[in-house]
PDB file of all heavy atoms in Angstrom:
ATOM      1  N   THR A  13      -0.503  58.464 -80.428  1.00 91.00           N
ATOM      2  CA  THR A  13       0.780  58.064 -79.846  1.00 91.00           C
ATOM      3  C   THR A  13       1.942  58.720 -80.596  1.00 91.00           C
ATOM      4  O   THR A  13       2.902  59.190 -79.989  1.00 91.00           O
ATOM      5  CB  THR A  13       0.929  56.528 -79.875  1.00 91.00           C
ATOM      6  OG1 THR A  13      -0.152  55.956 -79.135  1.00 91.00           O
ATOM      7  CG2 THR A  13       2.251  56.086 -79.282  1.00 91.00           C
ATOM      8  N   ARG A  14       1.838  58.769 -81.917  1.00 93.00           N
ATOM      9  CA  ARG A  14       2.884  59.390 -82.741  1.00 93.00           C
ATOM     10  C   ARG A  14       2.776  60.914 -82.765  1.00 93.00           C
ATOM     11  O   ARG A  14       3.588  61.584 -83.398  1.00 93.00           O
ATOM     12  CB  ARG A  14       2.804  58.859 -84.169  1.00 93.00           C
ATOM     13  CG  ARG A  14       3.159  57.399 -84.315  1.00 93.00           C
ATOM     14  CD  ARG A  14       3.356  56.983 -85.774  1.00 93.00           C
ATOM     15  NE  ARG A  14       2.437  57.554 -86.712  1.00 93.00           N
ATOM     16  CZ  ARG A  14       1.415  56.914 -87.299  1.00 93.00           C
ATOM     17  NH1 ARG A  14       1.176  55.656 -87.019  1.00 93.00           N
ATOM     18  NH2 ARG A  14       0.638  57.521 -88.161  1.00 93.00           N
ATOM     19  N   GLU A  15       1.723  61.443 -82.129  1.00 92.00           N
ATOM     20  CA  GLU A  15       1.456  62.879 -82.104  1.00 92.00           C
ATOM     21  C   GLU A  15       1.284  63.465 -83.501  1.00 92.00           C
ATOM     22  O   GLU A  15       1.692  64.605 -83.769  1.00 92.00           O
ATOM     23  CB  GLU A  15       2.520  63.625 -81.306  1.00 92.00           C
ATOM     24  CG  GLU A  15       2.584  63.221 -79.855  1.00 92.00           C
ATOM     25  CD  GLU A  15       3.633  63.964 -79.057  1.00 92.00           C
ATOM     26  OE1 GLU A  15       4.407  64.758 -79.637  1.00 92.00           O
ATOM     27  OE2 GLU A  15       3.684  63.737 -77.840  1.00 92.00           O
ATOM     28  N   SER A  16       0.669  62.691 -84.390  1.00 92.00           N
ATOM     29  CA  SER A  16       0.416  63.180 -85.746  1.00 92.00           C
ATOM     30  C   SER A  16      -1.062  63.527 -85.956  1.00 92.00           C
ATOM     31  O   SER A  16      -1.499  63.745 -87.080  1.00 92.00           O
ATOM     32  CB  SER A  16       0.869  62.144 -86.775  1.00 92.00           C
ATOM     33  OG  SER A  16       0.113  60.952 -86.640  1.00 92.00           O
ATOM     34  N   LEU A  17      -1.812  63.590 -84.861  1.00 93.00           N
ATOM     35  CA  LEU A  17      -3.226  63.932 -84.927  1.00 93.00           C
ATOM     36  C   LEU A  17      -3.610  64.686 -83.664  1.00 93.00           C
ATOM     37  O   LEU A  17      -3.272  64.272 -82.562  1.00 93.00           O
ATOM     38  CB  LEU A  17      -4.082  62.655 -85.036  1.00 93.00           C
ATOM     39  CG  LEU A  17      -5.594  62.830 -85.047  1.00 93.00           C
ATOM     40  CD1 LEU A  17      -6.051  63.509 -86.348  1.00 93.00           C
ATOM     41  CD2 LEU A  17      -6.283  61.476 -84.897  1.00 93.00           C
ATOM     42  N   ASP A  18      -4.285  65.817 -83.859  1.00 94.00           N
ATOM     43  CA  ASP A  18      -4.884  66.535 -82.731  1.00 94.00           C
ATOM     44  C   ASP A  18      -6.334  66.074 -82.653  1.00 94.00           C
ATOM     45  O   ASP A  18      -7.045  66.088 -83.660  1.00 94.00           O
ATOM     46  CB  ASP A  18      -4.852  68.049 -82.957  1.00 94.00           C
ATOM     47  CG  ASP A  18      -3.467  68.631 -82.796  1.00 94.00           C
ATOM     48  OD1 ASP A  18      -2.694  68.094 -81.978  1.00 94.00           O
ATOM     49  OD2 ASP A  18      -3.159  69.607 -83.489  1.00 94.00           O
ATOM     50  N   LEU A  19      -6.760  65.687 -81.482  1.00 94.00           N
ATOM     51  CA  LEU A  19      -8.106  65.159 -81.288  1.00 94.00           C
ATOM     52  C   LEU A  19      -8.793  65.967 -80.194  1.00 94.00           C
ATOM     53  O   LEU A  19      -8.248  66.134 -79.100  1.00 94.00           O
ATOM     54  CB  LEU A  19      -8.025  63.684 -80.896  1.00 94.00           C
ATOM     55  CG  LEU A  19      -9.312  62.908 -80.710  1.00 94.00           C
ATOM     56  CD1 LEU A  19     -10.157  62.927 -81.976  1.00 94.00           C
ATOM     57  CD2 LEU A  19      -8.983  61.468 -80.329  1.00 94.00           C
ATOM     58  N   HIS A  20      -9.971  66.494 -80.525  1.00 95.00           N
ATOM     59  CA  HIS A  20     -10.713  67.322 -79.579  1.00 95.00           C
ATOM     60  C   HIS A  20     -12.132  66.787 -79.455  1.00 95.00           C
ATOM     61  O   HIS A  20     -12.750  66.409 -80.450  1.00 95.00           O
ATOM     62  CB  HIS A  20     -10.756  68.779 -80.035  1.00 95.00           C
ATOM     63  CG  HIS A  20      -9.412  69.363 -80.254  1.00 95.00           C
ATOM     64  ND1 HIS A  20      -8.606  69.798 -79.226  1.00 95.00           N
ATOM     65  CD2 HIS A  20      -8.700  69.556 -81.398  1.00 95.00           C
ATOM     66  CE1 HIS A  20      -7.471  70.257 -79.719  1.00 95.00           C
ATOM     67  NE2 HIS A  20      -7.497  70.110 -81.032  1.00 95.00           N
ATOM     68  N   PHE A  21     -12.636  66.795 -78.232  1.00 96.00           N
ATOM     69  CA  PHE A  21     -14.007  66.388 -77.958  1.00 96.00           C
ATOM     70  C   PHE A  21     -14.724  67.580 -77.340  1.00 96.00           C
ATOM     71  O   PHE A  21     -14.359  68.039 -76.260  1.00 96.00           O
ATOM     72  CB  PHE A  21     -14.038  65.192 -77.002  1.00 96.00           C
ATOM     73  CG  PHE A  21     -13.316  63.988 -77.532  1.00 96.00           C
ATOM     74  CD1 PHE A  21     -12.100  63.600 -76.999  1.00 96.00           C
ATOM     75  CD2 PHE A  21     -13.845  63.246 -78.580  1.00 96.00           C
ATOM     76  CE1 PHE A  21     -11.430  62.492 -77.480  1.00 96.00           C
ATOM     77  CE2 PHE A  21     -13.178  62.143 -79.078  1.00 96.00           C
ATOM     78  CZ  PHE A  21     -11.969  61.760 -78.528  1.00 96.00           C
ATOM     79  N   LEU A  22     -15.724  68.084 -78.050  1.00 96.00           N
ATOM     80  CA  LEU A  22     -16.501  69.218 -77.562  1.00 96.00           C
ATOM     81  C   LEU A  22     -17.941  68.787 -77.326  1.00 96.00           C
ATOM     82  O   LEU A  22     -18.462  67.912 -78.022  1.00 96.00           O
ATOM     83  CB  LEU A  22     -16.482  70.364 -78.570  1.00 96.00           C
ATOM     84  CG  LEU A  22     -15.118  70.911 -78.975  1.00 96.00           C
ATOM     85  CD1 LEU A  22     -15.279  72.000 -80.019  1.00 96.00           C
ATOM     86  CD2 LEU A  22     -14.367  71.421 -77.770  1.00 96.00           C
ATOM     87  N   PHE A  23     -18.564  69.420 -76.371  1.00 95.00           N
ATOM     88  CA  PHE A  23     -19.968  69.138 -76.074  1.00 95.00           C
ATOM     89  C   PHE A  23     -20.681  70.473 -75.959  1.00 95.00           C
ATOM     90  O   PHE A  23     -20.243  71.356 -75.214  1.00 95.00           O
ATOM     91  CB  PHE A  23     -20.078  68.341 -74.767  1.00 95.00           C
ATOM     92  CG  PHE A  23     -21.418  67.701 -74.558  1.00 95.00           C
ATOM     93  CD1 PHE A  23     -21.807  66.602 -75.323  1.00 95.00           C
ATOM     94  CD2 PHE A  23     -22.284  68.192 -73.612  1.00 95.00           C
ATOM     95  CE1 PHE A  23     -23.033  66.004 -75.130  1.00 95.00           C
ATOM     96  CE2 PHE A  23     -23.527  67.605 -73.413  1.00 95.00           C
ATOM     97  CZ  PHE A  23     -23.904  66.505 -74.173  1.00 95.00           C
ATOM     98  N   TYR A  24     -21.732  70.628 -76.738  1.00 94.00           N
ATOM     99  CA  TYR A  24     -22.491  71.874 -76.764  1.00 94.00           C
ATOM    100  C   TYR A  24     -23.628  71.785 -75.753  1.00 94.00           C
ATOM    101  O   TYR A  24     -24.478  70.903 -75.841  1.00 94.00           O
ATOM    102  CB  TYR A  24     -23.043  72.113 -78.171  1.00 94.00           C
ATOM    103  CG  TYR A  24     -23.818  73.385 -78.316  1.00 94.00           C
ATOM    104  CD1 TYR A  24     -23.184  74.619 -78.197  1.00 94.00           C
ATOM    105  CD2 TYR A  24     -25.177  73.367 -78.586  1.00 94.00           C
ATOM    106  CE1 TYR A  24     -23.889  75.801 -78.346  1.00 94.00           C
ATOM    107  CE2 TYR A  24     -25.892  74.542 -78.740  1.00 94.00           C
ATOM    108  CZ  TYR A  24     -25.246  75.757 -78.613  1.00 94.00           C
ATOM    109  OH  TYR A  24     -25.944  76.924 -78.759  1.00 94.00           O
ATOM    110  N   ARG A  25     -23.618  72.666 -74.795  1.00 92.00           N
ATOM    111  CA  ARG A  25     -24.681  72.738 -73.793  1.00 92.00           C
ATOM    112  C   ARG A  25     -25.754  73.682 -74.351  1.00 92.00           C
ATOM    113  O   ARG A  25     -25.664  74.900 -74.183  1.00 92.00           O
ATOM    114  CB  ARG A  25     -24.145  73.258 -72.467  1.00 92.00           C
ATOM    115  CG  ARG A  25     -23.015  72.414 -71.920  1.00 92.00           C
ATOM    116  CD  ARG A  25     -23.451  71.681 -70.690  1.00 92.00           C
ATOM    117  NE  ARG A  25     -22.324  70.975 -70.095  1.00 92.00           N
ATOM    118  CZ  ARG A  25     -22.333  69.669 -69.903  1.00 92.00           C
ATOM    119  NH1 ARG A  25     -23.383  68.962 -70.231  1.00 92.00           N
ATOM    120  NH2 ARG A  25     -21.295  69.085 -69.357  1.00 92.00           N
ATOM    121  N   ALA A  26     -26.725  73.082 -75.033  1.00 90.00           N
ATOM    122  CA  ALA A  26     -27.741  73.862 -75.728  1.00 90.00           C
ATOM    123  C   ALA A  26     -28.526  74.767 -74.789  1.00 90.00           C
ATOM    124  O   ALA A  26     -28.923  75.868 -75.173  1.00 90.00           O
ATOM    125  CB  ALA A  26     -28.694  72.925 -76.472  1.00 90.00           C
ATOM    126  N   GLU A  27     -28.736  74.327 -73.557  1.00 87.00           N
ATOM    127  CA  GLU A  27     -29.519  75.118 -72.608  1.00 87.00           C
ATOM    128  C   GLU A  27     -28.844  76.434 -72.241  1.00 87.00           C
ATOM    129  O   GLU A  27     -29.503  77.402 -71.893  1.00 87.00           O
ATOM    130  CB  GLU A  27     -29.842  74.299 -71.346  1.00 87.00           C
ATOM    131  CG  GLU A  27     -28.646  73.808 -70.575  1.00 87.00           C
ATOM    132  CD  GLU A  27     -27.993  72.536 -71.119  1.00 87.00           C
ATOM    133  OE1 GLU A  27     -28.368  72.033 -72.202  1.00 87.00           O
ATOM    134  OE2 GLU A  27     -27.070  72.046 -70.449  1.00 87.00           O
ATOM    135  N   SER A  28     -27.517  76.503 -72.360  1.00 88.00           N
ATOM    136  CA  SER A  28     -26.801  77.739 -72.043  1.00 88.00           C
ATOM    137  C   SER A  28     -26.072  78.316 -73.253  1.00 88.00           C
ATOM    138  O   SER A  28     -25.547  79.427 -73.176  1.00 88.00           O
ATOM    139  CB  SER A  28     -25.795  77.496 -70.910  1.00 88.00           C
ATOM    140  OG  SER A  28     -24.833  76.529 -71.302  1.00 88.00           O
ATOM    141  N   GLY A  29     -25.997  77.577 -74.344  1.00 89.00           N
ATOM    142  CA  GLY A  29     -25.302  78.049 -75.535  1.00 89.00           C
ATOM    143  C   GLY A  29     -23.796  78.049 -75.407  1.00 89.00           C
ATOM    144  O   GLY A  29     -23.105  78.784 -76.098  1.00 89.00           O
ATOM    145  N   VAL A  30     -23.249  77.186 -74.540  1.00 90.00           N
ATOM    146  CA  VAL A  30     -21.819  77.150 -74.262  1.00 90.00           C
ATOM    147  C   VAL A  30     -21.209  75.839 -74.760  1.00 90.00           C
ATOM    148  O   VAL A  30     -21.783  74.771 -74.570  1.00 90.00           O
ATOM    149  CB  VAL A  30     -21.566  77.300 -72.736  1.00 90.00           C
ATOM    150  CG1 VAL A  30     -20.112  77.095 -72.386  1.00 90.00           C
ATOM    151  CG2 VAL A  30     -22.063  78.641 -72.248  1.00 90.00           C
ATOM    152  N   PHE A  31     -20.055  75.946 -75.396  1.00 93.00           N
ATOM    153  CA  PHE A  31     -19.283  74.760 -75.750  1.00 93.00           C
ATOM    154  C   PHE A  31     -18.359  74.435 -74.577  1.00 93.00           C
ATOM    155  O   PHE A  31     -17.737  75.327 -74.010  1.00 93.00           O
ATOM    156  CB  PHE A  31     -18.400  75.011 -76.984  1.00 93.00           C
ATOM    157  CG  PHE A  31     -19.153  74.998 -78.280  1.00 93.00           C
ATOM    158  CD1 PHE A  31     -19.584  76.180 -78.852  1.00 93.00           C
ATOM    159  CD2 PHE A  31     -19.418  73.804 -78.931  1.00 93.00           C
ATOM    160  CE1 PHE A  31     -20.269  76.179 -80.056  1.00 93.00           C
ATOM    161  CE2 PHE A  31     -20.102  73.790 -80.130  1.00 93.00           C
ATOM    162  CZ  PHE A  31     -20.530  74.983 -80.696  1.00 93.00           C
ATOM    163  N   VAL A  32     -18.290  73.151 -74.237  1.00 95.00           N
ATOM    164  CA  VAL A  32     -17.323  72.703 -73.241  1.00 95.00           C
ATOM    165  C   VAL A  32     -16.449  71.648 -73.899  1.00 95.00           C
ATOM    166  O   VAL A  32     -16.877  70.956 -74.825  1.00 95.00           O
ATOM    167  CB  VAL A  32     -17.994  72.136 -71.962  1.00 95.00           C
ATOM    168  CG1 VAL A  32     -18.716  73.238 -71.201  1.00 95.00           C
ATOM    169  CG2 VAL A  32     -18.930  70.999 -72.264  1.00 95.00           C
ATOM    170  N   ALA A  33     -15.215  71.570 -73.454  1.00 95.00           N
ATOM    171  CA  ALA A  33     -14.295  70.549 -73.963  1.00 95.00           C
ATOM    172  C   ALA A  33     -14.296  69.380 -72.989  1.00 95.00           C
ATOM    173  O   ALA A  33     -14.456  69.564 -71.780  1.00 95.00           O
ATOM    174  CB  ALA A  33     -12.892  71.123 -74.101  1.00 95.00           C
ATOM    175  N   HIS A  34     -14.110  68.202 -73.522  1.00 96.00           N
ATOM    176  CA  HIS A  34     -14.051  67.005 -72.694  1.00 96.00           C
ATOM    177  C   HIS A  34     -12.627  66.474 -72.714  1.00 96.00           C
ATOM    178  O   HIS A  34     -12.025  66.333 -73.777  1.00 96.00           O
ATOM    179  CB  HIS A  34     -15.008  65.938 -73.216  1.00 96.00           C
ATOM    180  CG  HIS A  34     -14.879  64.630 -72.507  1.00 96.00           C
ATOM    181  ND1 HIS A  34     -15.197  64.466 -71.176  1.00 96.00           N
ATOM    182  CD2 HIS A  34     -14.441  63.423 -72.933  1.00 96.00           C
ATOM    183  CE1 HIS A  34     -14.969  63.211 -70.827  1.00 96.00           C
ATOM    184  NE2 HIS A  34     -14.506  62.563 -71.880  1.00 96.00           N
ATOM    185  N   ASP A  35     -12.108  66.187 -71.529  1.00 93.00           N
ATOM    186  CA  ASP A  35     -10.792  65.578 -71.400  1.00 93.00           C
ATOM    187  C   ASP A  35     -10.999  64.120 -71.007  1.00 93.00           C
ATOM    188  O   ASP A  35     -11.348  63.840 -69.857  1.00 93.00           O
ATOM    189  CB  ASP A  35      -9.968  66.302 -70.340  1.00 93.00           C
ATOM    190  CG  ASP A  35      -8.540  65.789 -70.264  1.00 93.00           C
ATOM    191  OD1 ASP A  35      -8.255  64.692 -70.798  1.00 93.00           O
ATOM    192  OD2 ASP A  35      -7.706  66.489 -69.661  1.00 93.00           O
ATOM    193  N   PRO A  36     -10.803  63.186 -71.954  1.00 92.00           N
ATOM    194  CA  PRO A  36     -11.057  61.776 -71.652  1.00 92.00           C
ATOM    195  C   PRO A  36     -10.077  61.170 -70.658  1.00 92.00           C
ATOM    196  O   PRO A  36     -10.362  60.128 -70.070  1.00 92.00           O
ATOM    197  CB  PRO A  36     -10.952  61.089 -73.010  1.00 92.00           C
ATOM    198  CG  PRO A  36     -10.189  62.013 -73.866  1.00 92.00           C
ATOM    199  CD  PRO A  36     -10.393  63.395 -73.328  1.00 92.00           C
ATOM    200  N   ARG A  37      -8.944  61.843 -70.420  1.00 88.00           N
ATOM    201  CA  ARG A  37      -7.977  61.299 -69.461  1.00 88.00           C
ATOM    202  C   ARG A  37      -8.535  61.289 -68.046  1.00 88.00           C
ATOM    203  O   ARG A  37      -8.291  60.362 -67.284  1.00 88.00           O
ATOM    204  CB  ARG A  37      -6.671  62.081 -69.511  1.00 88.00           C
ATOM    205  CG  ARG A  37      -5.940  61.910 -70.852  1.00 88.00           C
ATOM    206  CD  ARG A  37      -4.779  62.839 -70.933  1.00 88.00           C
ATOM    207  NE  ARG A  37      -5.332  64.197 -70.981  1.00 88.00           N
ATOM    208  CZ  ARG A  37      -4.628  65.288 -71.208  1.00 88.00           C
ATOM    209  NH1 ARG A  37      -3.337  65.197 -71.364  1.00 88.00           N
ATOM    210  NH2 ARG A  37      -5.205  66.466 -71.263  1.00 88.00           N
ATOM    211  N   ASP A  38      -9.287  62.327 -67.683  1.00 90.00           N
ATOM    212  CA  ASP A  38      -9.849  62.346 -66.329  1.00 90.00           C
ATOM    213  C   ASP A  38     -11.381  62.452 -66.329  1.00 90.00           C
ATOM    214  O   ASP A  38     -12.008  62.542 -65.280  1.00 90.00           O
ATOM    215  CB  ASP A  38      -9.251  63.487 -65.505  1.00 90.00           C
ATOM    216  CG  ASP A  38      -9.564  64.869 -66.050  1.00 90.00           C
ATOM    217  OD1 ASP A  38     -10.383  64.994 -66.985  1.00 90.00           O
ATOM    218  OD2 ASP A  38      -9.006  65.852 -65.527  1.00 90.00           O
ATOM    219  N   GLY A  39     -11.987  62.439 -67.522  1.00 89.00           N
ATOM    220  CA  GLY A  39     -13.445  62.466 -67.626  1.00 89.00           C
ATOM    221  C   GLY A  39     -14.074  63.810 -67.365  1.00 89.00           C
ATOM    222  O   GLY A  39     -15.292  63.920 -67.251  1.00 89.00           O
ATOM    223  N   SER A  40     -13.278  64.865 -67.294  1.00 92.00           N
ATOM    224  CA  SER A  40     -13.817  66.179 -66.946  1.00 92.00           C
ATOM    225  C   SER A  40     -14.263  66.959 -68.183  1.00 92.00           C
ATOM    226  O   SER A  40     -13.840  66.703 -69.305  1.00 92.00           O
ATOM    227  CB  SER A  40     -12.775  66.988 -66.185  1.00 92.00           C
ATOM    228  OG  SER A  40     -11.672  67.282 -67.025  1.00 92.00           O
ATOM    229  N   PHE A  41     -15.134  67.928 -67.926  1.00 92.00           N
ATOM    230  CA  PHE A  41     -15.542  68.908 -68.922  1.00 92.00           C
ATOM    231  C   PHE A  41     -15.063  70.259 -68.420  1.00 92.00           C
ATOM    232  O   PHE A  41     -15.095  70.539 -67.225  1.00 92.00           O
ATOM    233  CB  PHE A  41     -17.078  68.941 -69.050  1.00 92.00           C
ATOM    234  CG  PHE A  41     -17.649  67.773 -69.785  1.00 92.00           C
ATOM    235  CD1 PHE A  41     -18.096  66.661 -69.093  1.00 92.00           C
ATOM    236  CD2 PHE A  41     -17.763  67.784 -71.164  1.00 92.00           C
ATOM    237  CE1 PHE A  41     -18.645  65.584 -69.760  1.00 92.00           C
ATOM    238  CE2 PHE A  41     -18.310  66.701 -71.834  1.00 92.00           C
ATOM    239  CZ  PHE A  41     -18.746  65.603 -71.135  1.00 92.00           C
ATOM    240  N   TYR A  42     -14.604  71.094 -69.332  1.00 92.00           N
ATOM    241  CA  TYR A  42     -14.229  72.449 -68.947  1.00 92.00           C
ATOM    242  C   TYR A  42     -14.717  73.426 -69.999  1.00 92.00           C
ATOM    243  O   TYR A  42     -14.758  73.125 -71.191  1.00 92.00           O
ATOM    244  CB  TYR A  42     -12.720  72.593 -68.696  1.00 92.00           C
ATOM    245  CG  TYR A  42     -11.836  72.168 -69.850  1.00 92.00           C
ATOM    246  CD1 TYR A  42     -11.399  73.087 -70.783  1.00 92.00           C
ATOM    247  CD2 TYR A  42     -11.450  70.837 -70.011  1.00 92.00           C
ATOM    248  CE1 TYR A  42     -10.590  72.713 -71.844  1.00 92.00           C
ATOM    249  CE2 TYR A  42     -10.648  70.439 -71.062  1.00 92.00           C
ATOM    250  CZ  TYR A  42     -10.231  71.383 -71.986  1.00 92.00           C
ATOM    251  OH  TYR A  42      -9.441  71.000 -73.036  1.00 92.00           O
ATOM    252  N   ALA A  43     -15.141  74.594 -69.555  1.00 87.00           N
ATOM    253  CA  ALA A  43     -15.737  75.600 -70.435  1.00 87.00           C
ATOM    254  C   ALA A  43     -14.696  76.201 -71.365  1.00 87.00           C
ATOM    255  O   ALA A  43     -13.537  76.389 -70.988  1.00 87.00           O
ATOM    256  CB  ALA A  43     -16.393  76.693 -69.607  1.00 87.00           C
TER     257      ALA A  43
END
């Protein structure tokens, strides 16, 4: 809320070797 922390959620798709980011605001994953 105070914008004093950057928070990132990444998910590693081991089957393809790709990291995707997760946006908890809308529940989406993007490469």
